[in-house]
Amino acid sequence: MFWITLVIGLAGTAVALALAGRRVLFLYNTAMAGQPDPDRVLQVKRDKKADIEGQVTEVLGQRKLLKWTLAGSAHAAVMWAFFLLATVYLEAAVALLAGLDKKIPWLQTWGPIGFVQDTIALACTAGLIVFTAIRIKNSPKRLERKSRFKGSHLSGAWITLFMIFNVIWTMFFYRGVEWANGNLDYGKGAYFSYLVGHLFDGLSHHTLDVLESIGLLLHIGVALVFLVFVVHSKHLHIFLAPLNVMFKRRPDGLGAAQPMMSGGKPLDFEEADPDEDVFGRGKIEDFTWKGFLDMATCTECGRCQSQCPAWNTGKPLSPKMVILELRDHALAKAPYMLASEEQREKFTDEQKLAMQVDKELVGEDGVIHPDVLWSCTNCGACVEQCPVDIEHIDHILDMRRFQVMIESSFPSEAGVMLKNLENKGNPWGMSEMKRLEWIEELDFEVEVVDDKVSEDTEYLFWVGCAGALEDRAKKTTKAVAELLHIAGVKFAVLGPMEACTGDPARRLGMEFVFQMLGQQNVETLNDAGVKKIVATCPHCFNTLANEYPQIGGNYEVVHHTQLLAHLVEEGKLTPVAPIEEKITYHDPCFLGRHNKVYKQPRDIMATVPGVKTQEMHRHKDRGFCCGAGGARMWMEERIGKRINTERVDEALTTDPDTVSTACPFCLVMLGDAINEKKNSGDAKESLEVVDVSQLLIRSIKGEGTAQEKEPVAAE
């Protein structure tokens, strides 16, 4: 019996490993057919501590998954079962190779080990029951778009649950017979195996030997079949997730958009050749190997989809489906990508059609529909929620870059914005001299940089285009200037020398205009000797702090809420007048998820007497976008419900007196939606949206709630 079991076991193992190895080699070669990305490897070498921390917290600790407590706990149980039950397979290997009665000293004789093995197996079974219930409850057939599993390959998920269940029951069958046959030396430590073993009481030794051999082969066979299935399915993430976490970008928050790369190096626009260099992603081969790793790692869990503001308002963009469609296209085209020129010539038209050789990456009949590409607000909810650190925004942005810079294909309204940026240095096309008009409404002088900032100037106040030119945002600008003046903080502004940071151009995909504006601003800032900057716009803040270092601009940049919270804490600003209002705060995406600034705006409101804060259901890292990011501020929203309307509907559920925020774009978008609600009678006339700095200055100046609120002006 031993030799029969050994031959069957080794033959099955050899076949399974050969099939799995062939698939792994195919996937590796496919990924390596993409563009190089040397920085990913270098960052691991430079920052091994961060890599270890990522593996401990995200892979072993399941940090992101546990944000969703029930599903996260179930996944943690199943994942740890894979780790801990590897010891059972080690025991099975010993039994297969050396005989059913052979044991590894201590490892197979110490009761607590058997206890842990049985306990994690039962916990895994409980996890499978939870997963089954979740998938039935959230079935796309029942919930349609509201199901995070809509669009996922559902059959693969059910097969996986079934295969894991097979691993568990074959383990207990094998170990139960093993105990009954006197070959399980954990005693009652392996308590459930011990209980199962009693089912086989009274059987002959020969019968038990046969059953134990069958149980051993079943347990090993299930694992081998599961291995082959895993490398051909979405559950490849079992092996790839640690790699994707290792090679992920590592900013504190989402941080900067990545520079355009070609051949693993930053693209030099002055020397670039459109025929030789890669401008964004125009075909699947243009993605880097990290892009292919993202595609292969996707678990299809749909967490990104459930949080996406575009998907939640009826638009065609699902971050999950973007990755899956790219993955399916990559796998279809892989044989062509990996073939030599001689082999490619031999492919028939039918074969090329099946391999999607001529299919557009972005197009009406392409892999990604243009409406999908242009629905993205760059809010970062997808990246924040992804348990395996897929970088959806980077891939969407790179596809936009090709469409804008090579195909000249983008929403027409955005073209006006680009021309204004190129000709006037701001998205609205206003005169640069208008950037100083807000100062005339103040009763104190503001230093305007002429050549260099004066030695006693602590901060350059980066006003931004909206802060200088948009009426609602100018109120924030004036409030911040007054607060800095009251606190005795010496600051200066660039005035006409300030140009748009280039964020709208970069997020649209027009990297050339971003580079042009960015280099102009960096030269201005460096020539002026600027070291520290305070900005009211989170988009400017993110660009100045995280993206300008890519082009030689290195400054200490703070958002105004960070500086104001610090000044209040130091006692340089003291709110006195109570504001007896219920206020709900909206987290700007580029301040919150992109830069992890959640605490300071709330701290400011907490110091104002009388204020009662009420969080919306979606807040902080799960906050819902206003709809203006990703250059969407300058594009019409023609599909589905307006994102800003959805967000205001959510705000209204808190019955607020005021909606506060900390971003000029959010101020405009939420203000417009509130006006619509007022006109339809769905919001009280006194409701307004203000920046937190406006609340603070109102309290400090003793105005409180006695001040008559100004209605939100329509644009």
Side-chain angles (χ1 to χ4, degrees):
M1 192 68 194
F2 167 74
W3 290 106
I4 295 174
T5 303
L6 178 64
V7 169
I8 294 174
L10 291 180
T13 301
V15 171
L17 291 178
L19 292 173
R22 180 185 177 188
R23 177 66 173 181
V24 169
L25 182 62
F26 166 75
L27 293 172
Y28 174 80
N29 289 335
T30 300
M32 289 300 102
Q35 295 291 310
D37 195 352
D39 284 346
R40 302 287 183 165
V41 179
L42 291 175
Q43 76 174 9
V44 173
K45 293 179 179 178
R46 284 194 304 262
D47 197 357
K48 292 181 179 178
K49 180 181 177 183
D51 178 44
I52 294 171
E53 182 181 329
Q55 298 298 319
V56 171
T57 59
E58 294 198 31
V59 178
L60 301 180
Q62 304 278 276
R63 179 180 65 85
K64 285 191 173 183
L65 279 159
L66 288 171
K67 288 181 179 180
W68 298 33
T69 310
L70 181 62
S73 299
H75 190 277
V78 174
M79 182 207 68
W80 276 101
F82 269 91
F83 291 150
L84 296 177
L85 295 185
T87 58
V88 177
Y89 275 101
L90 177 61
E91 295 170 11
V94 171
L96 178 69
L97 297 173
L100 298 176
D101 59 342
K102 298 297 187 292
K103 307 296 174 189
I104 301 174
W106 186 79
L107 179 64
Q108 289 180 266
T109 57
W110 193 40
I113 291 180
F115 176 84
V116 170
Q117 291 169 333
D118 278 19
T119 300
I120 196 63
L122 292 175
C124 179
T125 304
L128 297 180
I129 294 171
V130 170
F131 284 149
T132 301
I134 287 174
R135 288 193 169 271
I136 292 173
K137 180 182 177 183
N138 295 287
S139 169
K141 291 182 180 178
R142 198 163 64 88
L143 299 180
E144 293 295 334
R145 283 180 68 94
K146 291 183 179 179
S147 170
R148 62 187 174 96
F149 300 120
K150 184 172 178 60
S152 299
H153 296 86
L154 300 178
S155 59
W158 288 115
I159 291 172
T160 299
L161 294 181
F162 178 64
M163 291 304 297
I164 297 174
F165 174 69
N166 286 336
V167 169
I168 300 301
W169 80 257
T170 56
M171 167 190 150
F172 282 125
F173 173 76
Y174 163 58
R175 283 158 67 92
V177 177
E178 194 178 19
W179 181 87
N181 204 20
N183 291 330
L184 187 67
D185 294 337
Y186 291 126
K188 294 182 180 180
Y191 57 95
F192 199 78
S193 299
Y194 166 79
L195 291 175
V196 173
H198 283 293
L199 298 176
F200 303 99
D201 284 342
L203 296 179
S204 68
H205 179 69
H206 175 72
T207 301
L208 289 172
D209 270 349
V210 172
L211 287 177
E212 189 175 349
S213 296
I214 292 172
L216 174 65
L217 291 175
L218 277 174
H219 192 49
I220 293 174
V222 164
L224 293 174
V225 171
F226 193 22
L227 172 65
V228 175
F229 170 74
V230 162
V231 297
H232 286 81
S233 75
K234 75 184 185 72
H235 284 81
L236 189 61
H237 77 268
I238 293 171
F239 304 113
L240 295 185
L243 290 176
N244 218 41
V245 171
M246 179 188 300
F247 292 115
K248 70 174 182 178
R249 290 171 52 191
R250 296 177 182 174
D252 181 18
L254 303 185
Q258 295 292 279
M260 287 185 69
M261 307 289 286
S262 179
K265 299 177 182 179
L267 187 66
D268 186 338
F269 284 98
E270 293 184 2
E271 299 181 3
D273 182 351
D275 294 326
E276 297 291 333
D277 289 301
V278 175
F279 283 73
R281 310 286 178 249
K283 53 185 184 298
I284 197 68
E285 298 95 314
D286 292 340
F287 284 84
T288 67
W289 61 262
K290 175 58 171 65
F292 285 108
L293 183 59
D294 274 356
M295 298 171 206
T297 307
C298 181
T299 70
E300 302 185 30
C301 67
R303 292 185 182 215
C304 59
Q305 180 173 288
S306 72
Q307 302 299 304
C308 177
W311 182 261
N312 275 281
T313 53
K315 296 167 183 62
L317 168 62
S318 160
K320 174 186 71 178
M321 294 309 300
V322 168
I323 299 301
L324 296 189
E325 285 160 359
L326 290 173
R327 181 187 73 191
D328 292 346
H329 176 59
L331 292 176
K333 196 174 180 181
Y336 184 82
M337 291 161 53
L338 299 177
S340 64
E341 288 297 329
E342 184 179 346
Q343 290 171 323
R344 289 179 179 182
E345 291 176 2
K346 295 179 181 179
F347 288 136
T348 64
D349 290 341
E350 289 76 12
Q351 287 175 316
K352 289 181 180 180
L353 183 64
M355 290 186 284
Q356 302 178 7
V357 172
D358 298 319
K359 190 170 186 177
E360 285 184 300
L361 190 66
V362 178
E364 296 288 337
D365 298 315
V367 179
I368 305 296
H369 193 280
D371 287 340
V372 169
L373 198 64
W374 298 112
S375 293
C376 180
T377 66
N378 281 206
C379 73
C382 50
V383 181
E384 176 69 36
Q385 289 298 325
C386 181
V388 291
D389 290 319
I390 291 170
E391 297 160 0
H392 314 75
I393 292 179
D394 289 351
H395 304 317
I396 289 173
L397 179 57
D398 278 333
M399 287 187 283
R400 281 185 173 189
R401 284 167 166 168
F402 183 85
Q403 292 302 303
V404 173
M405 302 187 70
I406 301 300
E407 297 292 314
S408 296
S409 176
F410 51 90
S412 58
E413 319 91 68
V416 178
M417 178 267 289
L418 285 177
K419 288 179 181 177
N420 288 335
L421 287 179
E422 290 187 74
N423 298 328
K424 296 292 186 178
N426 67 79
W428 289 282
M430 295 186 185
S431 167
E432 61 187 20
M433 297 311 297
K434 284 186 173 290
R435 287 183 178 272
L436 286 176
E437 287 184 355
W438 64 273
I439 295 178
E440 298 170 4
E441 301 174 34
L442 301 176
D443 57 6
F444 57 90
E445 290 188 6
V446 174
E447 177 190 349
V448 179
V449 177
D450 182 28
D451 182 24
K452 297 240 181 221
V453 294
S454 56
E455 291 185 3
D456 60 342
T457 298
E458 188 174 358
Y459 285 96
L460 176 85
F461 180 10
W462 187 274
V463 179
C465 301
L469 304 172
E470 205 281 326
D471 288 340
R472 284 165 283 190
K474 279 199 280 188
K475 294 178 182 178
T476 302
T477 303
K478 289 183 286 185
V480 171
E482 282 192 81
L483 289 165
L484 295 180
H485 178 70
I486 292 169
V489 176
K490 189 72 167 45
F491 68 94
V493 298
L494 289 176
M497 295 170 62
E498 183 182 297
C500 178
T501 59
D503 168 81
R506 173 167 252 196
R507 298 289 166 169
L508 180 73
M510 180 52 84
E511 184 73 8
F512 177 76
V513 173
F514 165 75
Q515 294 283 341
M516 178 189 74
L517 291 168
Q519 288 166 6
Q520 174 187 326
N521 283 325
V522 166
E523 184 178 349
T524 299
L525 291 167
N526 289 347
D527 288 346
V530 172
K531 302 296 182 185
K532 297 166 72 174
I533 300 174
V534 57
T536 55
C537 175
H539 297 261
C540 296
F541 167 58
N542 183 68
T543 306
L544 291 164
N546 300 320
E547 298 183 352
Y548 274 18
Q550 298 172 359
I551 51 177
N554 295 282
Y555 317 104
E556 181 184 332
V557 187
V558 296
H559 189 254
H560 73 281
T561 56
Q562 294 174 301
L563 180 55
L564 295 179
H566 176 67
L567 294 173
V568 170
E569 185 180 1
E570 285 192 330
K572 294 181 178 179
L573 292 173
T574 306
V576 290
I579 298 179
E580 302 291 345
E581 295 178 4
K582 183 195 284 188
I583 299 176
T584 189
Y585 175 72
H586 163 79
D587 286 284
C589 301
F590 275 71
L591 185 63
R593 274 189 294 267
H594 282 260
N595 287 282
K596 301 299 182 186
V597 179
Y598 299 115
K599 183 175 181 291
Q600 291 88 338
R602 290 172 171 82
D603 286 348
I604 292 172
M605 290 189 293
T607 63
V608 177
V611 167
K612 296 178 182 178
T613 57
Q614 176 66 53
E615 294 283 11
M616 285 181 260
H617 172 65
R618 292 182 284 209
H619 63 279
K620 294 188 176 178
D621 61 357
R622 286 203 191 183
F624 199 76
C625 184
C626 75
R632 290 290 326 171
M633 181 83 168
W634 291 275
M635 297 183 227
E636 290 297 327
E637 196 169 346
R638 298 185 176 92
I639 303 173
K641 183 179 181 180
R642 291 181 65 85
I643 293 174
N644 59 338
T645 303
E646 173 72 13
R647 186 53 164 167
V648 165
D649 281 342
E650 187 167 358
L652 292 177
T653 62
T654 68
D655 189 28
D657 299 307
T658 297
V659 177
S660 67
T661 188
C663 170
F665 288 5
C666 297
L667 205 65
V668 170
M669 298 298 286
L670 299 181
D672 287 347
I674 285 174
N675 274 332
E676 291 175 4
K677 293 297 179 181
K678 287 181 180 180
N679 292 335
S680 63
D682 295 326
K684 50 193 175 187
E685 283 299 317
S686 60
L687 181 63
E688 65 175 350
V689 56
V690 300
D691 189 273
V692 291
S693 62
Q694 292 172 262
L695 295 171
L696 183 59
I697 192 67
R698 186 190 301 174
S699 180
I700 286 175
K701 292 173 72 173
E703 294 168 345
T705 51
Q707 179 191 37
E708 184 179 345
K709 290 183 180 180
E710 298 178 28
V712 181
E715 204 173 22

